[in-house]
Amino acid sequence: MRKLVLALHASLDGFVEGPKGEMDIGWVSYDADLENHANEILSTADTVIWGRGTYQMMHSYWTSIPSNPSASQHERNHAEWIEKTAKIVFSTTLEKVEWNNSRLVKEDVEEEIKNLKQQPGKDMVILGSPRFAHYLMQLDLIDEYKITVSPVLIGSGLPLFQGLKEKINLKLIENKTFDSGAIGLVYQKVR
């Protein structure tokens, strides 16, 4: 069975966005180590899961990379990966998605995720989309949490965990320390 994996960056004080919203992540300790770590995470996935806002932001940014002469090789490689990867967008307000290999799901989120888990393939990864991730956490659908904690306190913003109604037991299966002081944590849900 495929796993649904949440991959997010968080501040040490537990925020995934700063006080200015979804674009407020300049505090992430992103360097070559974290680029390699991200590549490792993505190597286990063949499907990206997004909510509307993250899809729109990612579509706008990553489709511009191939024509951007100042884009790094890492950005170019990621843009190529994401272009060919299946992308499933969950939104009740979007009418269509136009990115290559994208599909829009407007209803029955829980049933759709359960069906996707039964299909053959690699893992599915939620890249960003913290608000949608909160909803999936409430439905107890996330199997693995891959959180990179940056060595910074930002004081306020959107919390990593929000709105949980029941306890979810997790088991630490991996941790890495990076030269920047960031820590990569991988927790699996205990069944």
Side-chain angles (χ1 to χ4, degrees):
M1 185 161 95
R2 302 166 81 186
K3 292 182 294 194
L4 180 60
V5 176
L6 174 62
L8 276 175
H9 294 282
S11 63
L12 183 59
D13 53 349
F15 297 102
V16 293
E17 292 176 2
K20 296 178 183 160
E22 66 186 23
M23 298 300 286
D24 191 7
I25 58 169
W27 45 265
V28 173
S29 299
Y30 211 76
D31 60 8
D33 271 350
L34 288 188
E35 287 177 358
N36 292 333
H37 182 62
N39 290 339
E40 288 173 21
I41 291 171
L42 299 180
S43 72
T44 66
D46 65 6
T47 304
V48 174
I49 304 287
W50 281 319
R52 177 200 49 81
T54 303
Y55 164 77
Q56 290 175 318
M57 179 180 62
M58 295 292 198
H59 179 256
S60 173
Y61 181 77
W62 289 109
T63 57
S64 73
I65 291 299
S67 62
N68 181 347
S70 63
S72 70
Q73 189 58 50
H74 173 74
E75 288 173 312
R76 291 180 189 288
N77 292 343
H78 185 73
E80 181 181 327
W81 179 85
I82 207 154
E83 178 69 20
K84 65 183 179 185
T85 298
K87 295 167 279 296
I88 302 175
V89 182
F90 290 84
S91 173
T92 58
T93 57
L94 283 177
E95 292 302 318
K96 61 184 176 180
V97 290
E98 298 178 341
W99 202 351
N100 187 41
N101 295 320
S102 293
R103 181 168 65 88
L104 177 63
V105 177
K106 294 180 76 68
E107 56 190 29
D108 298 326
V109 171
E110 186 171 11
E111 190 64 29
E112 181 69 24
I113 294 290
K114 287 179 178 178
N115 288 337
L116 287 166
K117 286 183 178 189
Q118 298 303 317
Q119 295 176 4
K122 293 181 169 184
D123 292 339
M124 300 170 292
V125 63
I126 308 160
L127 290 178
S129 290
R131 289 164 188 79
F132 186 56
H134 291 156
Y135 179 65
L136 296 174
M137 286 178 211
Q138 292 168 15
L139 295 174
D140 198 22
L141 292 172
I142 298 174
D143 302 299
E144 207 166 89
Y145 295 79
K146 296 185 177 186
I147 309 301
T148 303
V149 180
S150 286
V152 63
L153 304 172
I154 61 173
S156 65
L158 183 68
L160 172 57
F161 300 105
Q162 184 173 329
L164 293 175
K165 305 217 182 335
E166 295 184 21
K167 177 176 74 167
I168 298 174
N169 291 315
L170 304 173
K171 177 183 178 183
L172 180 66
I173 60 170
E174 184 180 324
N175 65 73
K176 294 180 179 180
T177 304
F178 301 101
D179 289 342
S180 66
I183 299 172
L185 301 170
V186 179
Y187 286 94
Q188 231 171 35
K189 184 168 70 172
V190 177
R191 299 263 175 220

